[in-house]
Amino acid sequence: MGTFYIPNSFQRSYEDFESYPRNIIQKNLYSGALEAYAARLDTAEPNLLTKPEAELYVPFRDLYPLCQGPKTHNILSDDALRKWLGDRSSIDPLTSTRNGAIATKTDPICRFIFISGGNSREPLKISRRMLTRILTYHQVMPCYLDFMSVFGLSKSARELRFSGFRAQVLLKNPTPNSAMPDLGRSGRHFQMCYNLKSVARVPDEKRVVWSIRQAAIYHQFDIEKGTALWIVTKGNLEIKDRIKTLTGKDGRAEDRAFDTPEQCLKSSLAVHLLHCHWSTEDWRWYVQSLEDQIDTETEIAVHGPRGDGEALRVYTSADLQTLQNYQDKMNEVIMVIEANNIVLASLRDFYKAMQGDSTFTLGNACCEDLTLFAKQIDEMKYDSAMQVSRARLLVQITSGRKNLMSFDFATTAVRRFHVLHCHDGYNAVYSFNIFCDLKMAGTWLSDRDNALRELEAKVESFTMKAVCQRSYVLVAELLHWLRSEVHRGQSTTQAGRLLMAAYGPDQSLRASRVKLSDRDNCCLLVFTILLLLGKGDLVHLFQRVDILDKHLPINHQLLREKCRNARIPNADQLAAEFDKKQWPMSPAKFELHSGQIHHEHKILPICKKEEINQKGGTARVYQIEVKEEFVGKTLRQAVAFSRYNCSLSEKEHDWRYQFALKTFQNGSMSLYENEKEAFDALRNQNGIVRLLADYSHAEKMDMDLQVEPVPSGDQEESVTTNTFNLLLEFGEFDLDEYFAQRLPPVFQGETEEFWRALFDVAEALERIHNLDLDTHGIVQQFNGWHADVKPDNILSVQGKFKLSDPGFAKFVKKTDNDPEEFLLGGTETYGAPERHPGRRGTMSAVLQTIDIWSLGCVFSIAATWVVFGYQGIKQFRRIREKAIETMRVRQRGSRSNSNLSAGDYFHDGHRVLETVTSWHRILRSSLRKTDSVTSDLLDLVDQKMLLGNAGARIKSTDLVTELKRILVQSERGPRIEMPGNIMETLLEADKDAVSSVSSTKWSNLGQPAAALNDRKARKSRLLEQPLMKTAHRSEGLKSVLAYHHVQSMDSNMNRNGLTARAKANANPETPHNDSPLHDRPHSIPAPQASVRHLVSPSPSGESMNLTQLHQKAGRTPKVHPPQDLFQALEEIEKRDKHNILGRERKDKLMSRHWKNRDLKFLVDNGESMEPHWAWAKALLKVLVRKIAGQDENGLDLSFVFGAEKLENQKSNSRNWERAMERAKPWPGTRTNMKTPMGEIFSSFLKQVQQDTRHRPTKPVRKLTLIVLTDGIWAGMGNSQASVNEIIVKFVQQVKSVIGDLMDPPVSIEFIQFGNDQEATYRLRQLDSGMKWHGIPDVIDTEHASGDVNKMLLGSFVKEYDDDDDDDDDEDGPMQDPDTATLEHTRSPVEMSSVNNSPASLARASTNRLEPRPQPPFFLSRRTG
């Protein structure tokens, strides 16, 4: 025991412990909130705490590793507490100075502090001085005081409705003040507090008595040291006894093991589960007890005799009160269990979010334990939910029996009245009317109370808290419930029931005239607000003055005027109350390309928000999540890839969208406007992160910023701050993080694919440098500068690298001269020498080639990673910094005018560092044999990019050309062969690899030996490093396997129907192998012959096959299951196995639907199709063979570019392959789909007109056009909507000729290659948009990796076209709240795979047209 070093801030805080919480170090609250906490503690102290001279009792239980055992002590005074904590200081009474050390003991690995009273209605046995000393010494978050305030001296149980969960996380960049290593505190910790309620039977000899009891729990955990703190406040010490058993010698070893941080976390999870079990264990028996008592009280009323002369039990008002008391208790059960479940869900979600946080270094090591923890929480929630359902049913039963007792009570009263006063018929009728009025009034009051209670419970369950701590309502779910039936099969809705409850039986006629759900005048939300205010019977007046759902929120002034106009009593007061309630009912909705200004009362329904990094200085960038109902339809379509199910349960759905949010504070308006204008200018440019929306918000935020709060208690005080926000595409990584999270590519195809993806950034830069803006048909040309090209601003979005953050970009009208401009801001490390302030001392105009220099630096870093990995990048940086420092030392005292400051640069103020050039030579000499790109790229960087003379650098247009030349040259080189079984194994390993590295096994490797317990632990951590993903390995290997499988199956077919396998069996020298891939070397094909874009894995690393897609509920499944290309080939092979004569064999499914129909193929052979050409050839061959013999006239083929075409061809003709080979994509060609489609339409229209004139009675021969395209129609510029127009015009012309379009004579199928998001959206718009033009649905879309049957039949066979119904705009999972009910989206249902053959492995990774990834929250960390 000795004296420790303690920061001055902690020393001052502890010395002033009695002022808690004003004295805490980590002030997440502003001073006003801290003062409010202190004031509440002052108010509560007389009833909550014990006076110092009274009986004090605070048990401590300190735990250490197993070898030391626990230490326990019952603290009975403040002096004893001070000594136990290790405070050896004293106050000199003469000088009032403190002598001695305030901390002499290291914190135990786990400490439990139990604060209790005699019961929950007596003061806690702790003084204020002791409480504030404990809370200060451990720096406990102040909101725990609110959780403790439910205890104390009281006549009855207090605040059963209070329920909450609060958490604060400090894992990144802890402040020096919070780290105290001598005490065992690293400063990297999280803390939380929550309360739970349980029920227990109280010993009583006379009657059954149950009591609801509360516990307030605080927990703090240090993720580096593994130290944990628990403070449990409860009426008695029941939980203390349970924890003693859990962590004592009789407990499980894993629950009391504290040797490593991982073991400590597992033990903490066990304690959490102990608390959760305590809160759920006895509710079943309590409900059973209430049920038994209700049965006893109402037995005669339900089962008693009813005949004349039978004796009846005489019920009194006391009996009705007793039954009402039981009903209230059941409602109390429902409220408490649901509140518990919210806390349990928050606890589960907290650890789920932590597991996905890369800064939580224990996430991977304890992955299984965290998953099991979540599963056990879910099981407890499920059991509790069952008790809630049981209690709700019992409430309904009690209500009915109470009505029956009221009837008996009224009957008895009327009989007595009749006996005493009834001597004539008039009095008899009068007494009967009294009885009916009593009965009706009693029934209505009971129903009204039940309906209003249920509404309040539903609103509470549909209420969430945004990250600003303000509550908002899930409007769509509330409306769905209001429109639902009270009882299945009955027409009465919940809204109708509430309407009758609000107006009562005497105003039923008026209530019947109110149309709450009228489409144009819907006022369900208005009605709900009025019900919550107790004014539901005024809804007809609100409707009369046009206060409707669609107008919410209404400004307060107008609301007050309308209420006055409706002649509502106390109109101003009602308007003020309504105004407060309307904001949670009308949260903001995020719409595509919307520029909005939000009032300070407007609530942004952002349910999760985490700052991505702190690299930038102009704004803060966050990863946010928004629930699906608050994302507009067009925005959903634009970012379909960011949608995922947040629910841990497979049966529940919580669909959310992830975005990046860039926030500028007051004072940064000019920077915000500049960046917004730059994004607007680049909106339609590929390769650049998209701006989705922008808004400003006078944001009203609670200052108590916690993680994952739940509805509870009173709202904290708030402040208003103005922010300017850009909503952007969400990126998984920036380039820096990508290099850290991925292993560099190894094989030739992987290397080429990486560079191809990164070269897209050069194309994006070229578009900025030479920007064409089309404004209402007027094209203007601009020269642009990005001015901030660096790895931080290059993001990985769905596997593509995109340029982001044009905050310093500038655009000027294009002239004939080389443009020069004055620029602000930008990068230093990657900046050109002419931009460094030390070169010329003042800011000067610069050329566009500053971006070329910066991109050259990025390429230099990327080449380093390709050769040496991420460690090489760190070494390269150290080399540059050392070179700069050496140069600065040499220049001291010299006349050099460089004035280069210390730092990291690629230049010396004038030209590239010689160290950089030398490093590039080292990279060239260290290249893998499989890398045929990096050396040529480094030559380009050295010779044309990193030049001191800005005018001599290569232009961006020429740079793009050079980069394409490098790739083409590499692709034409020899390929390295690799056996198929090795490729499959590598593919499996890459699939199992982690998506992001956050394991403690990695993070602790750099710690000194003392930090790792022993040699065995160090070795274990070293050997158990997680497998990392390799850049572009999954995509490349899947494509190669798929390509060779197609080639293998196709080559096995010959004209005589004999397979290569049969020949092999006939030849004893040929080894037989069931797998065409195993143990046979394959060369990785060049990109122009590969199918690398066949596969597009989801961000989570999982791939989705078409056969794994979901079917819409209620839809009749197709007789034929989905069939991808490989399955189709297998079927064709079987079909033609015995086709010795070589005749065309017809497919039975095709024959069923294909009658009197011509088929034309139109193939897009524009430049962008080049990566997909091999796959396009393979797919076309399968489609032609699949449809063999169906078109008696033969099949037609044409191309977008060139005169190459086929007409009236049979399916087995070799001309198909030759035509595809001759028409392969050519550089520089950009697709304009309008021209070739217009020619086909014109030809068909002429044929239809001719046929109807000459053969009017004969049916028109139909046409199906199948278009193979990637959807990137770059040759159409901004006029891509004209394809829609030409199709609409063509179909209308056909209608004018033949009259009836019930059976349309033409249909169009678009087959998309690749996964370009804008192209996918464009094709989907064509698919779903025809109905809005009044013509039949004649268009279908399918991905090239999808269902072959759907490709051929989807455009005209409804059974297949219906597959896309789930994706239509109007059938989306969430519709506008005021026009439709909620439709819950169903998750994809995975189908069992066919087999484990290489074919199955190859085809098990294809995507549908619209990808539906489900990334876990915070696994991916990047944005714009």
Side-chain angles (χ1 to χ4, degrees):
M1 184 182 297
T3 302
F4 297 152
Y5 167 74
I6 301 299
N8 291 332
S9 57
F10 179 78
Q11 182 126 358
R12 289 192 299 271
S13 174
Y14 182 74
E15 289 173 355
D16 192 27
F17 69 90
E18 289 187 90
S19 68
Y20 178 89
R22 305 181 189 93
N23 62 331
I24 58 173
I25 300 173
Q26 204 68 32
K27 289 182 171 61
N28 291 326
L29 303 176
Y30 75 116
S31 57
L34 295 175
E35 289 292 342
Y37 275 120
R40 288 201 289 272
L41 181 58
D42 291 339
T43 303
E45 181 182 0
N47 294 326
L48 177 65
L49 304 175
T50 299
K51 294 181 180 180
E53 62 273 10
E55 179 184 359
L56 302 174
Y57 182 71
V58 183
F60 272 62
R61 181 176 178 83
D62 292 348
L63 304 178
Y64 298 87
L66 287 176
C67 58
Q68 301 183 40
K71 296 181 180 179
T72 61
H73 190 64
N74 296 328
I75 304 297
L76 305 179
S77 66
D78 180 60
D79 189 56
L81 171 64
R82 188 172 58 82
K83 293 178 180 178
W84 184 258
L85 294 177
D87 179 4
R88 295 294 183 266
S89 64
S90 59
I91 302 295
D92 189 325
L94 297 178
T95 61
S96 299
T97 57
R98 183 177 296 272
N99 300 316
I102 64 171
T104 58
K105 293 172 63 176
T106 303
D107 290 345
I109 200 69
C110 182
R111 166 170 284 168
F112 291 94
I113 304 174
F114 302 98
I115 301 175
S116 65
N119 56 57
S120 60
R121 302 176 192 176
E122 294 184 4
L124 300 174
K125 295 180 179 180
I126 187 172
S127 66
R128 177 165 181 167
R129 186 176 177 85
M130 293 173 65
L131 177 64
T132 53
R133 186 186 296 276
I134 290 174
L135 300 183
T136 296
Y137 186 79
H138 298 98
Q139 293 293 301
V140 173
M141 54 199 292
C143 61
Y144 186 59
L145 293 173
D146 281 346
F147 290 83
M148 296 181 66
S149 64
V150 300
F151 298 93
L153 187 62
S154 175
K155 295 181 180 179
S156 59
R158 303 174 62 186
E159 295 195 68
L160 287 180
R161 293 189 178 185
F162 176 83
S163 181
F165 178 94
R166 294 284 189 273
Q168 291 179 350
V169 180
L170 184 64
L171 302 184
K172 295 182 291 188
N173 305 320
T175 60
N177 295 335
S178 60
M180 290 174 274
D182 287 347
L183 285 182
R185 304 180 190 180
S186 70
R188 299 182 63 218
H189 67 267
F190 60 79
Q191 52 181 331
M192 67 180 72
C193 52
Y194 55 89
N195 68 333
L196 291 168
K197 305 174 189 69
S198 182
V199 67
R201 185 166 180 173
V202 179
D204 193 306
E205 296 180 358
K206 298 181 180 179
R207 58 194 181 100
V208 177
V209 179
W210 292 80
S211 174
I212 295 178
R213 298 174 174 178
Q214 302 204 48
I217 298 147
Y218 170 84
H219 176 51
Q220 184 183 116
F221 188 87
D222 190 302
I223 66 168
E224 282 191 14
K225 304 295 184 179
T227 54
L229 169 68
W230 295 89
I231 302 177
V232 180
T233 304
K234 192 178 178 301
N236 57 30
L237 295 173
E238 175 189 1
I239 290 183
K240 171 180 173 292
D241 298 334
R242 297 189 183 207
I243 288 177
K244 180 179 179 181
T245 302
L246 179 75
T247 59
K249 61 180 180 179
D250 296 329
R252 298 187 310 169
E254 57 267 33
D255 295 338
R256 50 192 178 90
F258 304 99
D259 293 322
T260 64
E262 292 90 341
Q263 291 178 338
C264 294
L265 179 61
K266 294 174 184 179
S267 298
S268 290
L269 295 178
V271 177
H272 280 306
L273 289 175
L274 181 148
H275 295 142
C276 296
H277 278 297
W278 169 80
S279 71
T280 59
E281 59 188 3
D282 284 331
W283 291 105
R284 173 186 174 187
W285 312 115
Y286 180 39
V287 173
Q288 179 67 55
S289 174
L290 288 174
E291 187 173 355
D292 293 342
Q293 293 179 66
I294 291 170
D295 284 342
T296 301
E297 291 291 332
T298 62
E299 182 177 9
I300 298 298
V302 177
H303 304 293
R306 284 290 182 266
D308 293 338
E310 296 286 354
L312 296 176
R313 173 178 173 179
V314 178
Y315 286 104
T316 65
S317 58
D319 296 320
L320 290 174
Q321 289 177 331
T322 300
L323 202 58
Q324 181 64 48
N325 182 49
Y326 289 141
Q327 188 172 355
D328 291 343
K329 287 182 180 295
M330 293 309 303
N331 284 317
E332 187 177 72
V333 168
I334 294 170
M335 177 192 68
V336 171
I337 296 181
E338 288 185 338
N340 277 350
N341 275 357
I342 292 175
V343 174
L344 296 185
S346 300
L347 181 62
R348 175 202 63 192
D349 292 346
F350 173 83
Y351 279 104
K352 176 188 173 185
M354 292 293 292
Q355 189 176 1
D357 190 340
S358 60
T359 58
F360 182 52
T361 53
L362 303 178
N364 283 358
C366 301
C367 179
E368 292 183 5
D369 299 274
L370 290 168
T371 302
L372 180 61
F373 173 77
K375 182 178 180 181
Q376 291 179 284
I377 292 288
D378 283 337
E379 290 174 351
M380 284 186 272
K381 283 185 59 190
Y382 176 80
D383 292 342
S384 297
M386 294 298 292
Q387 299 309 317
V388 169
S389 299
R390 183 181 177 189
R392 290 191 192 281
L393 178 60
L394 192 55
V395 167
Q396 295 178 5
I397 293 173
T398 305
S399 179
R401 295 186 179 183
K402 189 169 61 175
N403 290 337
L404 192 58
M405 289 176 63
S406 299
F407 179 84
D408 289 346
F409 174 65
T411 301
T412 302
V414 169
R415 284 180 177 176
R416 290 179 177 176
F417 180 85
H418 179 74
V419 169
L420 294 174
H421 303 287
C422 293
H423 300 290
D424 53 45
Y426 172 79
N427 285 335
V429 172
Y430 179 70
S431 63
F432 180 76
N433 289 337
I434 292 175
F435 159 70
C436 291
D437 290 343
L438 287 171
K439 178 68 175 73
M440 185 177 295
T443 302
W444 172 72
L445 288 171
S446 176
D447 288 345
R448 183 198 63 181
D449 293 343
N450 291 338
L452 293 179
R453 272 196 296 266
E454 187 170 357
L455 173 67
E456 292 174 355
K458 283 295 180 182
V459 171
E460 184 176 355
S461 67
F462 295 146
T463 299
M464 295 187 66
K465 272 204 173 179
V467 293
C468 64
Q469 299 300 294
R470 298 176 64 200
S471 298
Y472 63 96
V473 175
L474 302 178
V475 176
E477 295 194 28
L478 175 60
L479 292 176
H480 175 69
W481 178 78
L482 289 170
R483 292 187 174 106
S484 64
E485 297 173 348
V486 177
H487 300 292
R488 185 173 298 178
Q490 295 183 359
S491 60
T492 304
T493 64
Q494 296 289 354
R497 176 192 179 199
L498 289 165
L499 194 64
M500 294 305 299
Y503 280 89
D506 56 334
Q507 299 188 64
S508 57
L509 182 60
R510 174 175 289 174
S512 66
R513 295 173 181 169
V514 178
K515 305 299 182 185
L516 294 175
S517 298
D518 184 75
R519 182 179 182 87
D520 296 325
N521 299 305
C522 179
C523 56
L524 286 171
L525 296 179
V526 172
F527 181 51
T528 301
I529 296 172
L530 290 172
L531 284 172
L532 296 176
L533 295 174
K535 304 291 184 180
D537 57 342
L538 299 179
V539 66
H540 65 286
L541 297 177
F542 273 61
Q543 269 190 323
R544 186 181 302 168
V545 294
D546 206 33
I547 300 178
L548 307 172
D549 289 356
K550 62 185 178 182
H551 297 148
L552 295 181
I554 303 173
N555 72 74
H556 191 191
Q557 179 64 29
L558 180 60
L559 186 63
R560 186 165 52 187
E561 292 177 4
K562 286 180 177 288
C563 289
R564 289 175 179 175
N565 293 338
R567 301 183 181 279
I568 297 175
N570 299 319
D572 292 356
Q573 180 181 349
L574 179 60
E577 294 173 352
F578 189 94
D579 183 56
K580 292 180 181 179
K581 290 285 186 181
Q582 70 173 332
W583 294 104
M585 293 286 182
S586 50
K589 191 169 187 177
F590 293 93
E591 300 284 357
L592 184 65
H593 297 160
S594 62
Q596 297 176 315
I597 300 175
H598 291 308
H599 186 268
E600 67 174 10
H601 294 303
K602 195 71 173 180
I603 301 172
L604 296 180
I606 299 173
C607 46
K608 285 190 178 180
K609 181 177 181 180
E610 179 175 277
E611 190 169 4
I612 289 173
N613 63 37
Q614 298 176 344
K615 297 178 183 178
T618 60
R620 304 179 75 175
V621 183
Y622 303 92
Q623 175 186 354
I624 67 170
E625 286 190 6
V626 181
K627 290 180 76 69
E628 186 167 40
E629 75 164 276
F630 303 110
V631 180
K633 293 177 183 177
T634 54
L635 182 53
R636 290 183 215 164
Q637 294 166 346
V639 291
F641 62 88
S642 72
R643 177 178 183 259
Y644 82 103
N645 185 10
C646 183
S647 175
L648 293 177
S649 171
E650 296 180 357
K651 298 180 180 180
E652 298 176 2
H653 301 291
D654 182 9
W655 292 107
R656 299 185 180 186
Y657 284 80
Q658 294 185 98
F659 301 98
L661 185 67
K662 190 165 188 176
T663 299
F664 298 78
Q665 300 293 336
N666 268 343
S668 302
M669 182 69 175
S670 59
L671 295 173
Y672 162 75
E673 289 292 344
N674 185 73
E675 186 158 346
K676 182 166 72 73
E677 290 174 4
F679 269 121
D680 285 338
L682 300 170
R683 174 169 291 172
N684 298 319
Q685 304 299 322
N686 292 327
I688 298 172
V689 169
R690 288 183 298 171
L691 173 64
L692 303 171
D694 61 271
Y695 65 89
S696 61
H697 187 207
E699 196 167 359
K700 195 172 184 179
M701 295 188 64
D702 286 343
M703 296 306 297
D704 192 2
L705 299 179
Q706 291 102 3
V707 177
E708 284 293 326
V710 298
S712 64
D714 295 332
Q715 188 169 311
E716 299 296 336
E717 296 185 40
S718 59
V719 296
T720 301
T721 176
N722 292 315
T723 62
F724 308 96
N725 304 272
L726 301 176
L727 192 71
L728 305 165
E729 275 184 309
F730 176 70
E732 294 87 4
F733 306 104
D734 67 22
L735 196 58
D736 268 342
E737 292 174 330
Y738 184 88
F739 291 153
Q741 301 283 2
R742 293 288 183 269
L743 295 175
V746 176
F747 305 123
Q748 190 168 2
E750 296 170 357
T751 306
E752 289 171 350
E753 281 306 306
F754 165 72
W755 285 118
R756 186 187 310 280
L758 192 57
F759 290 172
D760 286 345
V761 176
E763 295 189 19
L765 192 60
E766 190 273 335
R767 296 186 187 100
I768 294 176
H769 285 188
N770 304 281
L771 181 64
D772 292 342
L773 283 183
D774 187 343
T775 307
H776 305 295
I778 300 175
V779 178
Q780 302 180 75
Q781 295 182 324
F782 294 86
N783 291 124
W785 290 255
H786 184 278
D788 199 15
V789 177
K790 57 185 178 181
D792 289 355
N793 291 336
I794 298 172
L795 307 185
S796 174
V797 181
Q798 282 296 97
K800 295 182 179 181
F801 290 120
K802 291 190 175 187
L803 195 55
S804 72
D805 199 3
F808 299 113
K810 191 167 187 177
F811 297 91
V812 297
K813 281 286 186 70
K814 179 171 281 190
T815 63
D816 294 334
N817 301 323
D818 287 342
E820 286 188 304
E821 270 298 314
F822 293 90
L823 303 176
L824 297 174
T827 174
E828 291 189 0
T829 295
Y830 301 90
E834 62 268 28
R835 293 208 70 194
H836 195 275
R839 175 165 176 174
R840 285 176 282 190
T842 59
M843 185 181 69
S844 302
V846 292
L847 296 171
Q848 290 176 304
T849 55
I850 62 166
D851 290 334
I852 300 298
W853 173 282
S854 298
L855 187 59
C857 298
V858 171
F859 284 163
S860 175
I861 294 292
T864 301
W865 174 73
V866 168
V867 179
F868 293 135
Y870 188 63
Q871 289 298 319
I873 293 178
K874 297 168 75 173
Q875 294 163 6
F876 185 24
R877 178 176 181 176
R878 182 72 63 87
I879 289 171
R880 296 194 306 273
E881 291 174 341
K882 184 66 175 178
I884 294 294
E885 182 60 30
T886 301
M887 185 182 67
R888 294 182 71 245
V889 170
R890 291 175 180 173
Q891 290 175 348
R892 288 172 187 166
S894 69
R895 296 182 179 181
S896 172
N897 197 30
S898 176
N899 296 326
L900 199 66
S901 59
D904 174 22
Y905 314 102
F906 281 75
H907 59 81
D908 61 4
H910 297 273
R911 60 190 64 84
V912 67
L913 289 172
E914 178 60 31
T915 301
V916 172
T917 307
S918 300
W919 179 258
H920 290 174
R921 289 196 292 269
I922 294 172
L923 295 179
R924 291 187 188 93
S925 65
S926 305
L927 289 172
R928 296 182 178 88
K929 292 182 179 181
T930 55
D931 187 348
S932 55
V933 177
T934 306
S935 180
D936 290 343
L937 176 64
L938 288 172
D939 291 342
L940 178 64
V941 170
D942 287 340
Q943 297 168 15
K944 297 185 178 182
M945 299 182 75
L946 296 185
L947 301 179
N949 182 356
R953 293 176 202 143
I954 190 172
K955 301 292 190 293
S956 58
T957 304
D958 298 330
L959 175 62
V960 171
T961 302
E962 283 294 310
L963 294 176
K964 289 183 178 179
R965 179 192 61 77
I966 291 174
L967 280 177
V968 170
Q969 182 175 330
S970 174
E971 291 161 357
R972 290 174 178 170
R975 319 302 290 180
I976 306 300
E977 295 186 345
M978 185 189 305
N981 59 338
I982 293 180
M983 287 194 286
E984 292 173 11
T985 304
L986 290 174
L987 182 60
E988 292 176 2
D990 197 71
K991 180 180 178 181
D992 295 337
V994 295
S995 294
S996 64
V997 181
S998 58
S999 172
T1000 184
K1001 301 182 181 76
W1002 282 67
S1003 59
N1004 288 339
L1005 291 179
Q1007 293 183 4
L1012 303 176
N1013 294 326
D1014 51 27
R1015 179 175 178 178
K1016 181 178 180 181
R1018 291 198 305 272
K1019 182 176 181 179
S1020 174
R1021 291 168 188 254
L1022 286 168
L1023 297 181
E1024 293 180 8
Q1025 297 176 17
L1027 197 63
M1028 293 177 64
K1029 287 189 179 296
T1030 302
H1032 292 273
R1033 171 155 296 173
S1034 178
E1035 300 93 321
L1037 288 182
K1038 289 174 184 175
S1039 299
V1040 174
L1041 288 168
Y1043 174 79
H1044 283 292
H1045 183 64
V1046 172
Q1047 296 296 97
S1048 175
M1049 294 189 67
D1050 192 58
S1051 65
N1052 284 341
M1053 304 295 296
N1054 60 28
R1055 293 179 182 273
N1056 296 324
L1058 296 175
T1059 63
R1061 187 178 300 168
K1063 292 181 180 180
N1065 291 338
N1067 184 355
E1069 296 180 2
T1070 304
H1072 174 74
N1073 193 334
D1074 289 336
S1075 171
L1077 291 176
H1078 279 296
D1079 302 323
R1080 187 180 68 213
H1082 293 291
S1083 62
I1084 299 179
Q1088 64 264 28
S1090 74
V1091 283
R1092 60 180 171 269
H1093 288 280
L1094 162 66
V1095 177
S1096 179
S1098 70
S1100 62
E1102 297 297 328
S1103 300
M1104 191 170 293
N1105 191 303
L1106 182 70
T1107 58
Q1108 294 174 318
L1109 293 173
H1110 68 289
Q1111 290 187 342
K1112 190 173 181 179
R1115 178 186 302 152
T1116 304
K1118 295 190 292 287
V1119 176
H1120 290 265
Q1123 185 181 65
D1124 61 25
L1125 181 144
F1126 309 100
Q1127 294 166 321
L1129 269 176
E1130 290 173 353
E1131 183 183 86
I1132 293 170
E1133 185 178 15
K1134 292 178 182 178
R1135 185 185 74 191
D1136 295 342
K1137 185 175 183 180
H1138 303 293
N1139 185 17
I1140 300 176
L1141 298 178
R1143 295 176 179 172
E1144 288 185 330
R1145 302 282 298 275
K1146 292 187 178 182
D1147 184 278
K1148 294 181 180 179
L1149 176 62
M1150 296 297 116
S1151 298
R1152 186 184 310 163
H1153 300 287
W1154 205 279
K1155 295 180 178 65
N1156 191 35
R1157 185 178 293 272
D1158 290 330
L1159 176 60
K1160 292 182 182 292
F1161 289 99
L1162 174 60
V1163 180
D1164 180 359
N1165 58 340
E1167 177 185 34
S1168 60
M1169 276 291 290
E1170 184 274 334
H1172 319 295
W1173 198 246
W1175 188 245
K1177 289 195 294 185
L1179 179 59
L1180 179 64
K1181 186 181 296 186
V1182 170
L1183 293 175
V1184 167
R1185 293 174 63 180
K1186 180 81 173 174
I1187 203 67
Q1190 305 297 342
D1191 186 350
E1192 304 86 3
N1193 300 332
L1195 311 176
D1196 296 346
L1197 170 67
S1198 60
F1199 296 89
V1200 172
F1201 294 101
E1204 185 69 34
K1205 65 169 55 178
L1206 296 176
E1207 293 182 348
N1208 304 326
Q1209 290 290 313
K1210 299 298 181 183
S1211 63
N1212 57 1
S1213 173
R1214 300 283 296 178
N1215 292 334
W1216 296 96
E1217 294 181 35
R1218 299 190 187 102
M1220 289 291 286
E1221 188 61 34
R1222 287 192 295 266
K1224 62 184 179 182
W1226 192 256
T1229 54
R1230 299 190 175 187
T1231 300
N1232 184 336
M1233 191 57 70
K1234 181 178 179 180
T1235 302
M1237 291 185 69
E1239 294 173 354
I1240 293 173
F1241 293 160
S1242 178
S1243 175
F1244 178 75
L1245 187 60
K1246 290 179 182 178
Q1247 185 64 44
V1248 170
Q1249 291 170 339
Q1250 182 179 347
D1251 290 345
T1252 53
R1253 280 197 304 267
H1254 295 93
R1255 293 174 293 179
T1257 59
K1258 188 175 181 179
V1260 174
R1261 188 165 179 83
K1262 301 170 184 175
L1263 169 68
T1264 290
L1265 175 63
I1266 298 181
V1267 184
L1268 281 68
T1269 179
D1270 58 4
I1272 306 174
W1273 301 334
M1276 302 183 68
N1278 295 326
S1279 61
Q1280 294 171 353
S1282 59
V1283 173
N1284 187 313
E1285 296 169 2
I1286 192 175
I1287 294 174
V1288 171
K1289 183 178 179 181
F1290 165 64
V1291 177
Q1292 289 173 342
Q1293 289 174 333
V1294 172
K1295 181 180 180 181
S1296 67
V1297 174
I1298 67 173
D1300 183 15
L1301 286 183
M1302 292 300 292
D1303 185 14
V1306 63
S1307 65
I1308 307 168
E1309 180 75 32
F1310 288 99
I1311 301 176
Q1312 184 190 5
F1313 293 80
N1315 284 288
D1316 185 89
Q1317 299 162 16
E1318 295 179 5
T1320 299
Y1321 175 70
R1322 184 179 307 119
L1323 294 177
R1324 290 183 48 74
Q1325 287 295 95
L1326 288 173
D1327 186 359
S1328 61
M1330 290 297 102
K1331 64 187 74 175
W1332 303 112
H1333 297 279
I1335 64 176
D1337 184 8
V1338 296
I1339 298 178
D1340 185 52
T1341 54
E1342 181 72 350
H1343 196 270
S1345 59
D1347 185 1
V1348 171
N1349 293 328
K1350 188 173 185 294
M1351 296 176 197
L1352 292 168
L1353 302 175
S1355 61
F1356 64 92
V1357 178
K1358 191 175 188 302
E1359 177 185 358
Y1360 285 88
D1361 190 30
D1362 279 349
D1363 275 0
D1364 290 333
D1365 285 352
D1366 288 345
D1367 303 325
D1368 290 346
D1369 292 349
E1370 65 277 12
D1371 293 330
M1374 299 291 293
Q1375 301 185 17
D1376 287 341
D1378 57 345
T1379 61
T1381 59
L1382 175 68
E1383 295 182 13
H1384 292 285
T1385 306
R1386 296 162 180 85
S1387 61
V1389 179
E1390 295 190 355
M1391 309 290 288
S1392 58
S1393 57
V1394 178
N1395 53 44
N1396 292 324
S1397 68
S1400 300
L1401 292 172
R1403 64 174 172 259
S1405 56
T1406 56
N1407 283 357
R1408 195 181 179 179
L1409 181 62
E1410 180 188 9
R1412 297 177 181 272
Q1414 300 178 11
F1417 185 64
F1418 298 145
L1419 256 184
S1420 49
R1421 312 279 314 152
R1422 178 53 35 207
T1423 183

